[in-house]
Amino acid sequence: MRVVSEEHLARVLAGLPGRPRIVAGGNFAAPRRTLGIVDAAVGEYRLFMLNAQAGLPDREGVDLETPFVGAGMRGRANLRYFPSRLSLVPNLLKGSLPPDVVIVQTSPPVGGTVSLGIEVNILPAAIEAVRARGGLVIAQINPGMPYTFGDAVLATDEIDLAIEDDEPLATPVPRPPGEVAHEIGRRVARLVPEDATLQLGIGAIPDAVLSSLLERRGLRVWSEMFSDGVLALEKAGALDAGSPITASFAFGGPELYAWADRNERIRMLRTEKTNDPSLIARQPRMVSVNSALQVDLFAQANASRVRGAIYSGFGGQTDFVIGALHSPGGHAVIALPSWHPRADVSTVIPRVTGPVTSFQHSYIVSEQGTATVWGKDAASQAQQIIDNVAHPSARDELREQGRELGFPLR
């Protein structure tokens, strides 16, 4: 690894041929300063990131690529969305979407290594893919990046060029869960057995579930990500002190980042491991909790599209639903409000008309109640979803539409 000036890095980048594909760390670990240098030095390029946040380049000549759309790419005309489970994204980078440059944000060097910190995810696979074809690996070294262990640790020899930048890591805007989310959280918490292993997705409802588990003991975490709610479990003594907290990326407030720094209990692994359904299935009493935009009477969930337009993507939801269903004592839970307040529509619909994100869950939960899905025949599933999950004002119409779909509903 050679630390260079920003001017030197700009000259190197300006010499890249064609329209290079640049893979960069996403979520809240984006190497923003380096991306700014890229955008000033390279006329045309493709930028591949996961769950990219606001502030990305927005000009002609830049194509945005992702299998999971974040706020920084959502609705952009220059977006190319690649449907893929998160566990399979590394295969895209090693196959049809090979990178020419990989940019990561890391901790300062220690003993010939740096750490990818809060964003491991697909980056190890991207680095392997770009080095195999003679491309560049660039690091943005930030003293604010926690030094985490596991697959986050990277030998400095794997990095070609680096710049130094001292700025606070980005943090999500706090959005405290409302009463509906808290009620859903309480209902989901009742489905979590003692000594469960947890995976929770992103958003107010997963956060509310965690806040409803503070009195539990012996909980474990095997998840694609974790946030401030897991730190709250740790403070409350709810986590099994003998088990590692396993994830692939994290984001939250400064206290979470300080807690993660050199914390040997936190094990950050690459996506191919955390999201491998066969490894998920080995976790005892695995409870996967994810949200959705819509569910239908066939117990299918849409967590990806709004009015046909891509909103997010498969992410890890499909991986964890499958893994949890195969886990001894495990459950796959979809949790969502029964009514969408902005659109003023029911989130339970007769049939999802677009691509389905996941299906065949254990339970579907709203603030209205819980539908037991697994082990029920199709008609019973539909009946439970209407009676226990749907908003009361939508139930009569759903029953009528369900009968038209062939369900013998009461």
Side-chain angles (χ1 to χ4, degrees):
M1 179 177 73
R2 182 159 63 103
V3 178
V4 299
S5 67
E6 294 184 13
E7 292 76 17
H8 179 90
L9 180 59
R11 289 194 294 272
V12 172
L13 292 168
L16 292 172
R19 294 177 64 252
R21 173 172 290 111
I22 296 170
V23 175
N27 290 296
F28 289 84
R32 294 187 178 279
R33 192 171 191 88
T34 308
L35 288 175
I37 297 170
V38 169
D39 197 52
V42 184
E44 295 185 349
Y45 62 96
R46 295 164 290 189
L47 180 60
F48 186 104
M49 297 174 70
L50 285 182
N51 196 30
Q53 301 303 300
L56 294 185
D58 187 8
R59 64 172 174 83
E60 189 174 345
V62 181
D63 287 335
L64 303 176
E65 299 179 335
T66 190
F68 194 87
V69 182
M73 293 186 179
R74 191 170 295 134
R76 299 274 285 271
N78 56 342
L79 172 65
R80 300 179 69 207
Y81 166 65
F82 293 87
S84 174
R85 297 180 185 181
L86 192 53
S87 61
L88 296 176
V89 173
N91 291 349
L92 288 177
L93 298 175
K94 294 176 180 179
S96 58
L97 301 175
D100 300 291
V101 180
V102 175
I103 304 173
V104 296
Q105 188 168 195
T106 75
S107 71
V110 176
T113 66
V114 294
S115 175
L116 296 170
I118 61 170
E119 180 75 8
V120 176
N121 215 331
I122 61 164
L123 294 176
I127 290 169
E128 290 169 1
V130 79
R131 293 199 69 82
R133 61 200 311 261
L136 278 175
V137 178
I138 300 170
Q140 179 176 305
I141 299 172
N142 185 351
M145 177 64 80
Y147 194 104
T148 61
F149 300 104
D151 293 333
V153 178
L154 182 67
T156 54
D157 290 347
E158 296 296 308
I159 298 168
D160 299 300
L161 302 173
I163 64 166
E164 296 176 324
D165 179 54
D166 187 358
E167 61 182 28
L169 288 176
T171 60
V173 177
R175 292 187 174 88
E179 183 49 40
V180 168
H182 277 299
E183 178 59 27
I184 296 170
R186 288 188 285 269
R187 291 183 180 278
V188 172
R190 295 174 196 144
L191 303 174
V192 177
E194 293 297 322
D195 302 321
T197 306
L198 302 175
Q199 175 265 328
L200 293 106
I202 300 169
I205 290 175
D207 289 345
V209 174
L210 290 173
S211 70
S212 298
L213 293 170
L214 297 178
E215 301 301 318
R216 298 294 182 87
R217 295 295 178 264
L219 297 175
R220 301 174 178 85
V221 175
W222 179 290
S223 184
E224 68 184 21
M225 62 85 62
F226 67 89
S227 191
D228 297 316
V230 168
L231 176 55
L233 290 179
E234 173 75 355
K235 287 181 175 181
L239 297 182
D240 178 10
S243 298
I245 297 160
T246 302
S248 191
F249 62 96
F251 53 73
E255 186 181 6
L256 182 81
Y257 299 155
W259 176 62
D261 187 39
R262 300 194 169 277
N263 187 337
E264 294 189 358
R265 283 192 59 214
I266 295 175
R267 181 176 59 173
M268 302 296 281
L269 301 183
R270 54 199 293 162
T271 292
E272 303 94 312
K273 297 177 184 176
T274 59
N275 286 56
D276 181 340
S278 68
L279 295 181
I280 296 166
R282 295 179 192 175
Q283 310 311 311
R285 295 168 294 283
M286 183 78 216
V287 179
S288 165
V289 181
N290 289 282
S291 194
L293 299 165
Q294 298 171 315
V295 295
D296 69 12
L297 301 185
F298 296 90
Q300 301 177 124
N302 164 32
S304 304
R305 291 180 177 266
V306 175
R307 292 185 292 274
I310 186 63
Y311 182 83
S312 54
F314 292 117
Q317 181 165 311
T318 308
D319 294 323
F320 275 91
V321 166
I322 294 170
L325 287 172
H326 285 273
S327 163
H331 304 310
V333 181
I334 293 294
L336 77 170
S338 66
W339 197 264
H340 195 296
R342 288 186 185 175
D344 196 29
V345 295
S346 171
T347 60
V348 179
I349 61 175
R351 182 166 57 190
V352 171
T353 57
V356 172
T357 308
S358 62
F359 61 94
Q360 201 170 56
H361 312 99
S362 305
Y363 302 97
I364 299 175
V365 181
S366 79
E367 80 283 6
Q368 304 296 329
T370 300
T372 301
V373 175
W374 173 247
K376 303 295 181 181
D377 63 67
S380 298
Q381 290 178 356
Q383 189 76 59
Q384 287 221 17
I385 291 168
I386 293 172
D387 293 346
N388 299 330
V389 178
H391 193 274
S393 64
R395 290 174 184 169
D396 287 344
E397 185 175 357
L398 284 168
R399 289 187 187 101
E400 182 179 341
Q401 293 171 320
R403 293 184 189 107
E404 293 175 0
L405 291 171
F407 292 115
L409 301 172
R410 298 190 304 274

